[in-house]
Every structure is written in C-alpha cells, then in structure tokens.
Amino acid sequence: ESLSRKMAAKCWNKSILTILLLGFLPFSLEEVSFCQYYLNSTVVANFDNETNLFEDFDFDFQSSLVENEYIVTFKGYYSSDTRRKYISTILKSSHVEDWSIVSRENEMAKFPSDFSIVKLFCNDKVAIDALMSHPLIAHVVPQKKVTRIIPHDNNENWYDTIVSNWHRRKLTEVSKLDDMSSEDLHPGHHWYAGRRLLRAIPKQITSVLQADVLWSRGYSGKGVKVAIFDTGLSKYHSHFKNVMERTDWTNEHTLDDSLGHGTFVAGVIASASDCLGFAPDAELYIFRVFTNNQVSYTSWFLDAFNYAILKGINVLNLSIGGPDFLDRPFVEKVWELTANGLIMVSAIGNDGPLYGTLNNPADMMDVIGVGGITFEDTIAKFSSRGMTTWEIPLGYGRVKPDIVTYGSGVHGSGINGRCRSLSGTSVASPVVAGAVALLYSAVRSELVNPASMKQALMASAQPLKGANMFEQGHGKLDLLRAFHVLSTYKPQASLSPGYIDWHDKTYMWPYSSQPLYYGALPIVVNVTVLNGMGPKGKIAEPPIWQPYTLSNGLYLDLSFKYSPVLWPWSGYLAISLSVTKEAMTFEGEAKGHVLVKISSPPKGGEEQVSVIRLPIRVLITPTPLRTKRILWDQFHNLHYPSGYFPRDDLHIKNDPLDWNGDHIHTNFKDMYTAIRNLGYFIEVNGSPFTCIDATQYGALMITTGFLCPGALMIVDSEDEYSTEEIEKIKNDVEKQGLSLIVISDWYNTEVMMKIKFFDENTRQWWMPSTGGANVPALNDLLKSWNIAFSDEVLSGEYLIGDRTVYFGSGVGIQSFPNAGFQLPVNLNDEAMEILHGKKSLVKNVPILGLYQVPGGGRIVVYGDSNCLDNAHQQRDCYWLLGKLLLYATTGRVPDFPYSDSIRKIKRREPSRMNNLLYHYSRVVNASGHIKSLVCPHLAWVKPKPLNITSTSVPFKQLNLLADGMQDGCCLKEVAILHPESPVHSDPSHWIMLGIVSVIVLVYFVSKLQRRRRRRMCTRKLKMFYGDCPTRLI
C-alpha cells in the first residue's frame, strides 16, 4: 500500500506533456506497474476524438439522477485530500459555500482516485461552471442512482411498482425455468408468469459447449482473475473453491448474496461441483455493487472499476445493462478498463424482440456484448436486438450483439447450495465470460487481449439460420473452434461485419431488403474495426475502393468516414454507398472490395500493420417512379437518453421513455416491412429539410393531368424546424409537387407537468422536454395551409368499416382547410383522466385529414403513431398507412366515413411549455436561436478498378488467420478447424461443376440402361418377335 501511494504520487507529479507522451507508448498488463496502469488509463481516456462520441446520441438505462449530487471527474488520479483541496479552492474562489464532499468508505479509499462526489445545496450552476473551467477537471455530471429489477412470477402486476425506477440499470435475469418459458415472454420490457415448461434442458451447460474437452487437456481457468459485479456471494458456498476476495461497494456493509443473482452468475463461470461452471479453477473476485433492494450508484461502479484495475483483473462479467449510453463517467471508465487489457463481457439486455433495445455497456465496441438463444438454437424472444442508436440520425447503427449463446433455462448455482435454472441475457453473459476465462487459461499468451479474444469468438461463431446480424451478431458461441483460432492467433485487425452482401438476404437485413438505385440518398453501413495489435492504432491510409470492372463495380460510388484514432482496441468505418448515373436503368449486381490498412505502435521493433479486405456485393435496380419513393425524416426525431422524451402511449407506465431511436429499422421495423411489401422504396433522411432535393420526389405531370409525386413522411418528430426548413417544405409542396404525410402524437403542457412526478428522485431534473411529439413545431410547419393539431390527449378504439383501429394517447385536429377531407371519431379524453381522474368521451373529433394543395402535392395528417410503432403496439394499422400512401402518391381518396359535421367546439393549439428541448435540439441552440444547419457533403473516393470478376472473392465471412496476411494485403481464407486446407474458390464454380457432373452422369447411365435393355430383349423376346420391337428399345 505504501509503495503504491508513493508510485502514484510520483507519477502524477509529472507534467501533462509527459503523461500525454506516455499515452502513445505500447504497454502490456504483465509489464506495467500500479503507476503505469493509471497513467495509461487516464491518458487514453482523454483523447479529443472520444469526446465527440457524446454528440447526437440516444439511450436507455434504468437510472435516475440523485438530487444535488455531482460526480467531479479529474484528469488524473489524486489522493482524497488532494482532490478535496482542489475542489475547496475552486468553490471558495467562486463564493460557493454551501457544499460538501460525500465520503466513500470502501476498498478504494486507501488509494488515489480520479473522481469525487460533491453535494451542492445552492448555486449549482455557478459551482458547476467553476469546476468545469479548472484545467485538472475533465467533467462534472449528476450522480445517478441505479436500480435493477428482478421480476417475480408470483405477482403479475409487479411492473406497476417500478414507475419511478424503470429507466435505471437493471439486472438482466428473466425468471426461473420452472416458472417461465422463453416462448411465453411478453414482447415488451417486462414478462408475465409462464404457462408451460420447456422441453428437457441439459443438466450441464458446460457439456453442451464441450468444455470437458479442454478440461481433459488440463485447462480449467487456473491463474485467471475473474471479477463478478453483481449482488455478492456467500463466504461458505460449497460450489466454489477459489474465491480470492469479496468486496462490498454498497452502503449495506455485507458481502453475502440474499437475492441469488450474483451466486448464479458466479456458478455459471466457476462452480466446481453439481451444476458446473466453465472455469472452476479461476480466481474469483466478488464485487457486491447492488443492495438487497437492487439499488446501486454510478459512483459505486466507478470505485469498483478502479479497484478491478488495481487488482489486475483479466475478465469481468457485467450481467447488467440499461439504455443510458450518455452516463459519461461510466462509459469512460469502461474504456479505461479495456484499455488496460481487461476483457469485459456484458449482457445485451432483455428488451426483445423489439429492435433498437441494446443495453449499455454491451453496446460499446470494446465490450463483448452477448445475446441469448434457446436450446433449439433460435434467438430467445427476450434477447435485445440492434442496431445501436448512438449514431442515429446521422448514420446507421453498428452490429450488436457480438455473439449469442444459451440463455434460456440454464442451470447454475443457487444460494441454498443446490442448483437452479434461470433465463435471460444475464445468464448468457456469464456463459461467455466463463468460456473466455477457460480460453484465457488455455492459451496463456501475451497476444490475448480484449480485441483478440473478441475476434476469436466472432470468427469461430456458428451462424444461426433465420436470424439477421442485429439479432445474432456473428452467431452462436463455439468454444472449441474459438480455442483453435486463439491458439494460432497472430496480431491483426478485423472488421464487423466482415462482408457486405445484398444476396445474403436473411443475415444482411435490412440492407438486403431494398436494392440501391440512382438518385437515392446514400445508404450507410457502419463497420466496427477491431485492432488486435494493441489498444491504440489508426487507419493508416484512406481506405481504397477497388470495383470489379467485369462485375459492374464501377456503377457504385463509395465514401468513407472513420475514426481518427482506434482506441481502445476499436473504432468505426462508416461506408456510404450510392449508384452512379450510368446505372440509372441498370438491373443486376455490382461487386468490388474495400482495402483498409490498420497500423499500431511497434512491439519490439517495426510498426505493426494489418490490411483487411471487405468484399462488397450490392443489388441495383432502375430508378423507381417517384410515386413509389418515400422519404423518411430521421433528422427531427429525438430520443432518450439525450433528454426526457416520454413514451407516445401514456398507458405504458412501466416504460415511459422513448429510447428506441424512432428509426425504420428499430421500433418502426414492421412498418418498414409493410411499406416495402406494398412496392414502395424508402430512403432515410438524416439531414435538415434544406438539404432535400425535391426534384427526386416531387410531382411529375402525366398525360391524364394527375400529379404522381413521392412523399415525405414525418412520424412522431420531437425537434423544432428552422424558418428556412419551413419555407423549403412549403415551396416543395406547392411548386415541386411533393406530398407530405405528418403523423403526430400527444402534446399537452398540463399533462407534461403531471408526468414529471414519475420518479421522486428526478422531479428537479426530469421535466419532459416535449410531449409524445412536438406538436407546436408541427403546427408551425403546417401553418401555411391552415392545418393545426390541438392540445387534446385522446385514446380508445374506433371502426373504419369492419376494421378496428387503436388510438393511443393521440391528438385531434384543431383546424383544417374546408376543401379537405376529415375523419371524425369518438374517443376518450385521456388528459381529463390523468389530470382529474374523470373519464370523459369526446365526440366527433377529427383525427385524420386529407388535403390536395391547389397546383401542388397532397397533405395527410393523422393524430397518433402508436399503431405503427412496434414499442408496446396494441394493434397495427399498416393497412391504413397503405391507403394514406396511395392517396399521397396517386390522389386516390380512401373510402372512409368522412363527415362535414365536425365538432364545432373551439379547441386550443398547444403552446411550448419550456426551453428544455433546446438543450438537445439539432435545430435550435440552448438560447433559443436557430443553429447554422449544414448539409452533409460526401466526398466520393476515386476508384481503383480491377479488371476481374468476383470469382476469386468469396462473399462470406473471412476467418481470422494464424499466419497473418498474404502478399502484403489481402487476408487468405483458412478453414478454422483445418488450417492446412487450401484456399477455396468461388462457390459458383463448384455449383457449375456439380451441374455438369450430374448431366454427364445421367447421360452415361441412360446409355448403360439402353444397352442392358437391348441385351435382355435379345435373350428373352427374340423367339417371339424375331427381333426387338422399337417400342422396347
């Protein structure tokens, strides 16, 4: 302890310049001292490019802000006295007197730390500004209270008790096997009691994955330090033989597990008896970070993470998660952990089957994110799906989970010393963590690091049939194949996904669901770069696009955007694809590949270099008619965790935040599929309206005199619109003939004030930034045509013909042109029920309007998006959307019961409640002024064509190599279980060869048959006919 303190003090007395220089030096866990751990960790945590990751994010955790408490993060590690002196000096100089530092009594209290918790009782803004202005302080963020919920099957209404805790980090266990089947899980955030048992489940998960094969070779996790962050573990549990240390980071001062979650997780990883774990000889370090009430705090995790670094932990399991990827101290500390070589495994979440429900930290590039499957090798219904929502709306999300494994009905240790069965991604996560610990002990190489381990797991994973990459990642965990890859591994970089292929229709969804065409907005594929050569690296040269001239590759334009620094162990490569004008009428496929050169600092000599080839094959179709083209507005959709954006349906009390991205490939996935099935093509617009080229979608006058335009869809938007955008849309509709479809949701300031009390800890902080949609902004956009939504909150069901339509917390139409069509219905006044507890029926309230702009396009407005949104959808209305699209693009008026007897009661237009939205807006700044909206500019790279076809380039996942690169550039494909096997040629060659072989075989068989029949005829029938009749030959 004394030595550690002296070393830390000595290190942190060095200049900032020295520290920054040290950050560029290579290091390994075996070689660095206590001091170097902290130096390297802190340096890499402050690269400029990493701070940009917090712009334009979305998120979902179960966490709430703690009133008056702030985490002050320093740029280095200091003793508690030193940190107190710095804070005291800063606040006193700013005349802030009413404050205190919250004491933390845990194992890290004896060591230097990089943060303090400050309680501010007044002058919060002055104090925060003063602290943030100090050069030694990185940032100041509110302390978060973290609550994890373990559902119990004996109370079907258990979810009603978590209204105030829904968005916190939570344990990702589902339930006991005996009480629940994964097939019976409700498709939302929460689950009900099971109705039937699963089929017989294997007793030992280790046997299913063949861990006993590695045990027979003497590998059992010995010497590997595994940290389990959970609910603790009993000291005398009979299943564990190598518990090195138990620490408590809560305020309950106990080390035991009264819930059973931590015991189960530890058992899957390292149980040595009964229900066996994967690494029974691993050294267990138990971190109790949750109380008996499943409560934790961000600061508890930060201290525990620092202690894990100090202890030199090799593998860390987090069977927890939530959507708040903007919990900056937590996210940065995870980066610091992996930068120090610690392999983190985390559950992807139990919010499936809805897309866009990935949990943090499993959605981070340097973490192994694990999803769950059943023993039938199907994706578990509860397992969260991608894509990541960090990048929306400016791009497409990344592929997550990384891999999947068994998480339904797995046997593990119970707190009573016996075995139990649980389901959930918190079960799948320790399966992978245990496998990682076992592999770590089997390989025992300095080449094993967070990236190389992740590369080995993904390269060896077995793809599942019928699942796309946002469901299964790279496939199912294969322990023995991973062992083979890792034992022959050479440092290199790799990509995820490892290929882009529109022909792989199931796995490559959603890209494969729609061909490219000239004039469309570019589609973005966000590729993750993994760097197994070191924690720090870079894309050394701009990526090279090499189209195959004989395979129409020159019909594709590509643009690249990529991480300036790969840290820790990873980065991104965003590839924008577009079709050239020469392919306007072309239908077919285009092929080529991208070459990416990755470099890392030298290890014992030369700079490390890895060149990766990314095969690309896309389908191209002729540019469709404008009447078939739909533009989806993504730019104006905002979501949690950037701010408090409430759920669109106020009846959903157990999941009140809108956190799924509002993207056509996340919570609007089924709507997208329905539109594509109707023959429409959908493009995602992630830029301001001023950037839209309306000539691509506007009306085209045909011979009959009718306008056939495309349409702009604005669904459930939360952001503002600039004056220029409003004027641009007005001009596009009236002069370019663009049609406009606006689907809104509720907005009522009194209701917004009411729902701020969902969480008692967050009253001060969690005032809604807007309603279900930003109705005042939509009214500004529609004002030119005398169209406006009201401030009513309406709910219920209504009939159109024999079809029932669900209307959940929607809004009525306040004003509409007399020349248009309006659909009035009877609905419940939900605002009256929420505010006063009284039920009231609103009659003849218009909720749908159709309007033909004279000489221009058409406008459709509708008051609710819930029947289009997969999140807690009661009943879909895709059939209704199809009719609205038909009207917008052809003018065919749906046969609905329109009426002129609209309710004449004066309704109010909603007014803006506050300027909280401005803090998160992409259009308006914090002071309420319009930002300078810039249109994205893509620089298309100059292609370097190859005069070849793709016959030598297999369009499938490239496997990791044991022998690095071939010919200095392209990776040679090696069969994982048979590295000595030759390079395979294009599968199409083998198919053709097989066809030819069959034809030749059939020919010779027929010849033999004819000869045989002729001989038989000669012997047996010649006596009757004198010769063989022709009909017998």
Side-chain angles (χ1 to χ4, degrees), residues 92 167 616 944:
K92 284 183 178 179
H167 63 293
I616 295 178
K944 295 185 178 181

Side-chain angles (χ1 to χ4, degrees), residues 322-358:
D324 192 0
F325 53 74
L326 291 185
D327 191 353
R328 185 167 181 174
F330 186 95
V331 170
E332 288 188 348
K333 189 59 66 176
V334 170
W335 287 335
E336 185 178 334
L337 282 165
T338 60
N340 280 283
L342 189 151
I343 301 171
M344 180 176 287
V345 182
S346 185
I348 205 68
N350 291 336
D351 299 301
L354 185 64
Y355 281 68
T357 53
L358 300 172

Side-chain angles (χ1 to χ4, degrees), residues 778-779 782-783 785-789 813 815-817 851 859 861:
L778 291 174
N779 286 349
L782 298 168
K783 187 176 181 180
W785 303 289
N786 189 34
I787 298 175
F789 293 105
I813 298 174
S815 60
F816 203 77
Y851 177 58
I859 298 177
V861 294

Side-chain angles (χ1 to χ4, degrees), residues 396 514 517 628-632 664-665 671-676 680-684 713:
Y396 277 63
Q514 179 173 293
Y517 51 88
K628 288 297 184 181
R629 294 178 64 177
I630 307 298
L631 189 62
W632 173 271
I664 58 172
H665 301 320
M671 182 206 70
Y672 165 79
T673 301
I675 294 176
R676 284 290 296 131
Y680 294 98
F681 294 82
I682 310 176
E683 302 168 34
V684 178
M713 283 186 68

Side-chain angles (χ1 to χ4, degrees), residues 172-174 188-189 191 348-352 359 382-384 424-426:
T172 49
E173 168 195 333
V174 173
H189 254 54
W191 303 272
I348 205 68
N350 291 336
D351 299 301
N359 281 212
F382 56 74
S383 187
S384 290
T425 54
S426 68

Side-chain angles (χ1 to χ4, degrees), residues 767-778:
M767 178 74 69
S769 301
T770 184
N774 190 344
V775 173
L778 291 174

Side-chain angles (χ1 to χ4, degrees), residues 1 95 238 305 369 385 440 514 525 587 694 838 897 1031:
E1 175 186 342
H95 308 291
S238 60
F305 283 153
R385 273 76 163 166
Y440 201 112
Q514 179 173 293
V525 180
E587 183 160 17
K838 299 179 181 179
R1031 66 178 181 273

Side-chain angles (χ1 to χ4, degrees), residues 509-699:
W509 185 95
Y511 300 106
S512 59
S513 64
Q514 179 173 293
L516 301 184
Y517 51 88
Y518 171 71
L521 292 177
I523 193 166
V524 182
V525 180
N526 202 333
V527 178
T528 297
V529 182
L530 290 174
N531 179 23
M533 298 179 291
K536 182 176 180 291
K538 63 180 179 180
I539 297 180
E541 300 172 357
I544 299 173
W545 164 231
Q546 294 193 292
Y548 305 150
T549 56
L550 301 182
S551 296
N552 309 305
L554 288 173
Y555 284 162
L556 284 179
D557 275 333
L558 268 67
S559 179
F560 304 112
K561 184 178 180 182
Y562 49 88
S563 304
V565 176
L566 304 178
W567 181 89
W569 310 100
S570 58
Y572 69 88
L573 170 63
I575 304 175
S576 298
L577 298 100
S578 187
V579 176
T580 64
K581 187 175 182 179
E582 291 74 17
M584 181 185 299
T585 60
F586 172 76
E587 183 160 17
E589 61 182 28
K591 302 177 184 178
H593 68 245
V594 174
L595 288 182
V596 187
K597 182 178 180 181
I598 309 297
S599 66
S600 274
K603 278 190 176 181
E606 301 179 353
E607 181 182 50
Q608 302 177 89
V609 176
S610 179
V611 180
I612 320 166
R613 184 192 61 190
L614 179 72
I616 295 178
R617 175 167 60 180
V618 304
L619 296 180
I620 298 176
T621 194
T623 303
L625 297 174
R626 301 181 192 189
T627 188
K628 288 297 184 181
R629 294 178 64 177
I630 307 298
L631 189 62
W632 173 271
D633 175 35
Q634 191 66 47
F635 183 77
H636 297 91
N637 287 343
L638 302 175
H639 52 101
Y640 180 82
S642 61
Y644 181 178
F645 296 100
R647 181 62 77 192
D648 302 327
D649 190 342
L650 292 170
H651 287 102
I652 309 300
K653 296 180 180 180
N654 61 321
D655 186 14
L657 290 187
D658 191 352
W659 63 283
N660 306 125
D662 284 346
H663 194 280
I664 58 172
H665 301 320
T666 57
N667 52 304
F668 286 103
K669 169 184 175 288
D670 288 350
M671 182 206 70
Y672 165 79
T673 301
I675 294 176
R676 284 290 296 131
N677 289 340
L678 292 172
Y680 294 98
F681 294 82
I682 310 176
E683 302 168 34
V684 178
N685 176 54
S687 59
F689 288 156
T690 50
C691 307
I692 295 175
D693 180 8
T695 61
Q696 294 287 337
Y697 315 94

